């Protein structure tokens, strides 16, 4: 799973300028005081992480869900907190029963 | 040119609500223009074409939508254009509108548009290029009685379009909307003819819309030269 996050960092760094490169260290501050990402860069990075998790582990998770945004200690503070949060979401996903497809019946063009 | 070069150079376009009406027309129209076209609707499609791929998907179902986009990425590696056409309507006085009907309309029309925009933008940002066109409706500016919930769902799409345009601009993605007048599709087949006539009389150009009127506006929005056009809505018929 850390490998997926590191791949996301590689992809992010490729698209970012020299002055906005993320270091592959658990203590890297992502967002907030001293953080390396502004809000738009954080969005891009989160999307990269979600994508690499799906590619590598076949699991589709939503990192920026309501719980993440309402937590007192943001999971997007450092790479370490992010990794812990991703791990939690993957555990929960694996314990969850498979969701059933649903459909609604109305006129559709 | 190898098959891979061919795939890499051809634009990929996704149409929701593609099994009938405006959606089906748009699929055939853009296939004829040489696009690789992906369609989705709750039902299967009868359309068979070497450049068409259909996904039976409920656009308001997040997992189904995400799975479709994973497949699009695997098969094509890109998405250039999203036409958010899937929509449902139910004419009724608000005093007689069941809450489930209201929910269904909002789910398909607004949540569906939101979900497809979100997932499409994730794909489009990789190539720093994307064109999203959402389907609005003249029911919003004309404030049509009997279409309160439908118009509200389309008003939500308009606000969403304008703000999404801002949030996605830095990724090279434009987001616009086209607002058709009544067009003879299944969507309006239950509406009495005299009501359609009355509605058309409110337009600056009083005639029933044609499918070509819709594709004409979409052509404008999605052409590469329209990279300075975003957050706009064009209503047909001068509404």
């Amino acid at each position: 799973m850390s490998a997926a996050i590191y791949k996301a960092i590689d992809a992010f760094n490729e698209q970012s300028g020299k002055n906005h490169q993320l270091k592959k260290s658990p203590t890297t501050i992502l967002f907030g005081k001293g953080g390396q990402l502004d809000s738009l860069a954080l969005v891009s990075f989160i999307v990269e992480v979600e994508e690499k998790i799906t590619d590598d582990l076949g699991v589709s998770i939503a990192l920026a869900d309501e719980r993440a945004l309402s937590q007192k200690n943001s999971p997007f503070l450092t790479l370490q907190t992010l990794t812990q949060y991703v791990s939690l979401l993957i555990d929960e996903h694996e314990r969850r029963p498979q969701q059933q497809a649903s459909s609604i019946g109305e006129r559709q063009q | 040119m190898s098959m891979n070069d061919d795939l890499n150079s051809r634009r990929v376009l996704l149409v929701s609500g593609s099994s009938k009406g405006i959606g089906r027309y748009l699929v055939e129209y853009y296939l004829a223009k040489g696009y690789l076209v992906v369609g989705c609707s709750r039902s299967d499609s009868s359309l068979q074409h070497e450049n068409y791929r259909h996904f039976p998907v409920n656009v308001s179902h997040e997992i189904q939508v995400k799975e479709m986009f994973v497949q699009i990425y695997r098969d094509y590696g890109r998405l250039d254009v999203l036409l958010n056409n899937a929509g449902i309507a139910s004419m009724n006085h608000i005093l007689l509108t069941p809450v489930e009907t209201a929910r269904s309309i909002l789910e398909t029309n607004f949540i569906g548009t939101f979900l497809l925009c979100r997932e499409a933008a994730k794909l489009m940002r990789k190539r720093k290029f994307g064109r999203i066109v959402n389907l609005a409706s003249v029911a919003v500016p004309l404030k049509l009685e009997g279409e309160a919930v439908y118009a509200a769902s389309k008003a939500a799409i308009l606000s969403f379009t304008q703000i999404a345009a801002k949030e996605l601009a830095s990724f090279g993605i434009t987001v616009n909307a086209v607002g058709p007048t009544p067009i003879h599709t299944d969507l309006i087949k239950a509406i009495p003819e005299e009501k359609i006539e009355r509605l058309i009389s409110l337009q600056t150009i009083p005639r029933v819309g044609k499918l070509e009127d819709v594709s004409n506006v979409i052509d404008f929005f999605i052409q590469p030269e329209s990279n300075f056009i975003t957050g706009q809505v064009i209503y047909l018929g001068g509404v």
Side-chain angles (χ1 to χ4, degrees), chain B residues 161 164-166 169 173-176 221 226-232:
Chain B
T161 297
K166 289 188 173 184
I173 300 168
T174 66
V175 192
N176 293 288
F221 282 142
S226 292
N227 57 11
F228 209 38
I229 313 287
T230 195
Q232 305 302 305

Side-chain angles (χ1 to χ4, degrees), chain B residues 1-10 36 50-51 75-76:
Chain B
M1 186 184 278
S2 74
M3 190 180 271
N4 273 347
D5 289 340
D6 185 41
L7 187 65
N8 290 337
S9 63
R10 293 175 73 177
L36 298 171
E50 59 177 343
N51 292 328
D75 291 352
Y76 302 96

